[in-house]
Every structure is written in structure tokens, then in C-alpha cells.
Amino acid sequence: MSELNEKQLEALARERAKIFTPGWFADLFGARLGFGDTFWLGLFGVMLFVVPAVVLIAGMLYAEAPGAMMPFLRVVAGLYALWTLGVLRALLRIGARGGYPIVGLIVTAGIAVYGLYAAVTL
């Protein structure tokens, strides 16, 4: 692998600075990102911020109002299922070429189904 020059490093830094901005989310759901960025950052990158907040809120609810924790988690599961369906729609618009993208579509669909199931049965 060759080393990147200053110009390439600056371009990479500019591109990374756009991640998780409103324009980036528009590109995510508009299927204007690559398959890998849409799958990895759209499904799991966002969870780097959401999961700690959900765990903190669920923990506080468990300590202060235990009866409110399960409805909260039900709502979160439903919202994540809807998010995943949006990412799945973007992935389908991008198109799967090869084995790994097809596995990515299957995994994304499975996560959406499980999220809907959890929202209904928790």
C-alpha cells in the first residue's frame, strides 16, 4: 500500500468531517453513498451514539420508574426497526454486487424483522 500525500490526506479529512452531518444523512437515505458506508455507518456507526444514550436512559428508568423501562425499550426497538428499514431501502437502491453485499442485505433485513418483533413482544 502506498502512502498518501498531503493532498490526499486533506481530501480524506474533509470527507470524514462530513460524516453524521445532516447532509450526510440525506446522502445516506438518498442512496448516494457507497454500499459499505451505507451498511456499516448507517447501521452500526449511528449506534455508537444511540446505544450509550439508550442504556443510560433505561438504567435511570429502571432505578426510578421500573414500569416505564419496557415501554421505553419497546419504542426504541420500533424506532431502530424503522431506521433499519430506511437503510435497507437505501441498500436496495444502491444494489448488491457480489456475495458480501447480498449477505449485508440479508443481515439488514434480519435486523429490521427482529426490531419489529422486539417492539411488539417486549
Side-chain angles (χ1 to χ4, degrees):
M1 180 179 202
S2 63
E3 293 191 28
L4 301 175
N5 62 33
E6 286 297 317
K7 195 174 191 178
Q8 292 169 322
L9 286 173
E10 289 172 6
L12 188 59
R14 280 192 306 273
E15 196 65 31
R16 285 183 180 170
K18 294 178 187 176
I19 296 176
F20 302 132
T21 62
W24 181 84
F25 284 110
D27 289 343
L28 173 73
F29 290 113
R32 292 183 292 272
L33 299 176
F35 194 93
D37 287 343
T38 302
F39 178 77
W40 289 109
L41 291 174
L43 279 182
F44 304 113
V46 172
M47 292 299 105
L48 292 173
F49 303 102
V50 174
V51 169
V54 168
V55 169
L56 180 66
I57 294 168
M60 289 189 300
L61 285 173
Y62 181 74
E64 298 297 325
M69 186 182 74
M70 291 311 286
F72 169 72
L73 291 177
R74 215 176 281 127
V75 168
V76 169
L79 290 174
Y80 187 58
L82 292 175
W83 176 268
T84 306
L85 288 172
V87 172
L88 179 63
R89 180 179 166 271
L91 290 172
L92 289 170
R93 287 180 62 197
I94 293 169
R97 295 175 197 91
Y100 287 118
I102 291 172
V103 171
L105 287 173
I106 293 168
V107 167
T108 305
I111 291 171
V113 168
Y114 182 73
L116 291 171
Y117 175 76
V120 172
T121 61
L122 277 180

